[in-house]
Amino acid sequence: NTPMPLSLQDEYIKKESLYGAKNYSPLSVVLNKGEGAYLWDVDGNKYLDMVSAYSAVSHGHSHPKLIEVIHEQSKKLSITSRAFYTEPFADFLEKLSNLSGFESVLTMNTGAEAVETAIKAARRWGYFSKGIPEDKAEIIVADGNFHGRTTTIVSFSTDDAYKKGFGPFTPGFDAANFCGSCECDSIEKCLSINTFEKKINKNTCAIIVEPIQGEAGIRVPREGWLKELRALCTEKNILLILDEIQSGLGRTGKLFAYEHENIKPDGLILGKALGGALLPISAFLSSKEIMNHFKPGSHGSTFGGNPLASKVASKALDLLFEEKLIENSKTMGDYFLSKLKDIDSKIIKEVRGKGLWIGMELNNAEVSAKNLCMMLLNEGLLCKETHETVIRFAPPLMIGKKDIDWALNKITKVITSIE
Ligand SMILES: *Cc1c(COP(=O)(O)O)cnc(C)c1O
């Protein structure tokens, strides 16, 4: 009895589990190629990408124009550190500032670093502009938040999985109720804004929230919530900082999710799609008043704002408009959401979202979200659950209607098969 030889996929899965830390539990598929909205595994099977690396792949995989930019720039100049000025960096800063309407930009690499930058900026503003006594600044966040994985950021997470065993934690943070977690459904009865208001004191320098909570399961606050939070911050002289690392750059059908509420935050955090699905690059954007509290030597990053990433990010920003990715996110997102809502099944509790960013919540007695993802994988659809009961559908923003229809077909088929 000779044992069955391992398939190519099993071999890589085995190797990754053997040598890699187990801080993830990937679905059993080994990928080796991506193009547009598609991914291929090592056996040549083709899949539609409904995860998009959590919004990092908005432009689609291996975009030819971005490939050309990374190729040309990498032949010329890639990394210099910030000890010197470079053309691509200056051009990128100008582009992002003009496009966003924020006066000043500070670039980092990963999302978590840009969140850390926002925290530093808020604290300095608190001490140097608002006059909070040194080391007393407080920042209010929302329950269910996800802002990254550094020790300071997990300090203000409310999810045990992100923080258990990683203490001692950074002080100076407090979590209020994100809209919806207080179980009210109207402005009149809203307790969420109340809990934020109650937590504000003379040492509060900022409120940092996601306009829609992605990792928490695409939690969409009721209309008006963000506007009220904006008004509260203005009234109390505290900064409103929005983490749009996942929601920004067209994901919700607007360039920034806060545009749905016609407000402007004091600080904005971007990442993920900014790198055009090729490189990590992130940014904190704000006014000169806030940003000018950073002095030479006070903050930085070796790779932050490197010429290669700057050049790619500039092109990624251009392509959002040249290829109408934001409009496509809105039209395809509206269509996808309404069709998913039309699926009549008792295993679906709720479908919600904005743009091409949709969460389907299951009545988990029937099937877990992870099992459903496995069934969809077998149908050629790559999806990811968040928590036990929500499946997230977030394809690249360049996806076409034909692919959405194909996905809808498969999703309906799998859901009906469970019933
Ligand atoms: C992904 C994400 C982050 C963290 O970004 P990394 O690049 O993984 O560090 C922070 N905030 C939000 C809202 C995110 O979705």
Side-chain angles (χ1 to χ4, degrees):
N1 268 355
T2 45
M4 281 274 288
L6 284 179
S7 74
L8 203 48
Q9 305 234 24
D10 287 341
E11 231 170 86
Y12 285 112
I13 291 170
K14 205 177 144 197
K15 202 186 289 186
E16 191 169 314
S17 329
L18 187 61
Y19 296 108
K22 291 179 185 53
N23 54 330
Y24 281 89
S25 68
L27 283 179
S28 315
V29 59
V30 181
L31 303 171
N32 75 350
K33 187 180 132 141
E35 196 182 300
Y38 297 106
L39 290 161
W40 283 263
D41 68 21
V42 288
D43 296 325
N45 301 306
K46 186 177 173 183
Y47 304 89
L48 192 57
D49 186 2
M50 284 281 154
V51 182
S52 308
Y54 310 114
S55 233
V57 186
S58 290
H59 298 76
H61 295 276
S62 306
H63 193 295
K65 289 184 176 161
L66 289 163
I67 298 285
E68 195 186 317
V69 167
I70 198 170
H71 189 72
E72 289 309 312
Q73 185 61 39
S74 63
K75 282 195 287 186
K76 227 169 138 186
L77 183 67
S78 297
I79 310 288
T80 53
S81 90
R82 294 284 307 283
F84 312 100
Y85 291 91
T86 68
E87 286 170 60
F89 186 50
D91 288 340
F92 168 67
L93 294 175
E94 178 186 49
K95 187 175 297 261
L96 185 53
S97 171
N98 287 341
L99 190 83
S100 64
F102 285 92
E103 292 172 332
S104 190
V105 178
L106 196 158
T107 51
M108 299 295 279
N109 312 286
T110 64
E113 289 173 300
V115 173
E116 290 275 353
T117 303
I119 292 166
K120 285 184 173 181
R123 285 179 170 179
R124 277 219 164 166
W125 175 85
Y127 299 130
F128 303 156
S129 285
K130 191 172 172 173
I132 296 172
E134 183 80 27
D135 290 345
K136 296 287 182 218
E138 289 177 26
I139 292 173
I140 307 172
V141 298
D143 62 3
N145 71 73
F146 181 82
H147 297 287
R149 303 291 196 163
T150 65
T151 41
T152 285
I153 294 172
V154 300
S155 295
F156 56 82
S157 169
T158 57
D159 189 330
D160 218 36
Y162 303 154
K163 57 194 304 185
K164 180 91 186 127
F166 296 136
F169 298 115
T170 309
F173 299 95
D174 198 359
N177 286 333
F178 188 75
C179 181
S181 51
C182 57
E183 304 276 311
C184 58
D185 50 11
S186 67
I187 300 178
E188 292 72 39
K189 286 186 286 178
C190 182
L191 300 174
S192 167
I193 298 292
N194 271 349
T195 68
F196 275 95
E197 188 164 9
K198 274 196 201 118
K199 288 181 186 293
I200 294 173
N201 63 52
K202 61 185 193 321
N203 293 332
T204 308
C205 62
I207 288 176
I208 303 181
V209 294
E210 302 150 83
I212 291 174
Q213 288 188 336
E215 296 313 291
I218 324 286
R219 281 167 106 193
V220 185
R222 70 169 163 74
E223 213 184 306
W225 180 76
L226 203 57
K227 200 174 247 169
E228 290 158 45
L229 210 56
R230 169 70 278 181
L232 181 66
C233 288
T234 306
E235 184 199 325
K236 306 282 185 185
N237 188 31
I238 60 184
L239 305 179
L240 177 64
I241 296 176
L242 297 181
D243 180 347
E244 292 233 28
I245 289 169
Q246 198 165 157
S247 61
L249 304 177
R251 180 50 64 185
T252 70
K254 299 259 189 198
L255 178 58
F256 304 121
Y258 66 75
E259 291 171 30
H260 291 286
E261 294 266 314
N262 288 315
I263 60 141
K264 192 171 172 200
D266 303 295
L268 177 67
I269 310 166
L270 299 178
K272 294 199 166 119
L274 194 55
L278 290 178
L279 288 171
I281 175 167
S282 63
F284 173 64
L285 292 77
S286 194
S287 65
K288 287 214 158 93
E289 189 218 332
I290 294 162
M291 206 69 97
N292 285 349
H293 290 306
F294 285 118
K295 305 292 181 204
S298 62
H299 186 51
S301 158
T302 303
F303 291 100
N306 68 73
L308 186 62
S310 296
K311 196 77 182 183
V312 168
S314 287
K315 188 65 188 175
L317 289 173
D318 287 343
L319 287 172
L320 286 180
F321 299 93
E322 283 170 22
E323 303 197 332
K324 302 200 166 24
L325 296 181
I326 305 167
E327 287 94 324
N328 197 57
S329 174
K330 161 112 184 81
T331 36
M332 287 300 114
D334 286 352
Y335 175 71
F336 198 11
L337 183 71
S338 76
K339 289 286 180 186
L340 286 171
K341 280 185 171 166
D342 283 348
I343 300 176
D344 181 25
S345 165
K346 62 179 191 318
I347 75 162
I348 302 173
K349 188 172 165 195
E350 189 188 31
V351 184
R352 54 184 181 250
K354 264 206 169 84
L356 280 170
W357 204 28
I358 298 170
M360 177 185 271
E361 186 163 353
L362 306 174
N363 287 313
N364 76 339
E366 328 280 336
V367 64
S368 76
K370 176 137 195 180
N371 280 337
L372 195 59
C373 285
M374 251 130 51
M375 297 167 83
L376 290 168
L377 170 78
N378 290 329
E379 295 290 330
L381 214 54
L382 293 182
C383 305
K384 180 79 179 119
E385 82 281 1
T386 80
H387 303 278
E388 271 91 68
T389 55
V390 183
I391 296 189
R392 169 167 32 186
F393 298 113
L397 302 187
M398 38 64 67
I399 195 170
K401 182 161 177 297
K402 239 178 80 192
D403 285 335
I404 301 258
D405 282 331
W406 185 84
L408 280 163
N409 214 326
K410 298 293 183 189
I411 295 164
T412 311
K413 181 181 162 192
V414 164
I415 286 173
T416 348
S417 79
I418 296 164
E419 292 202 338

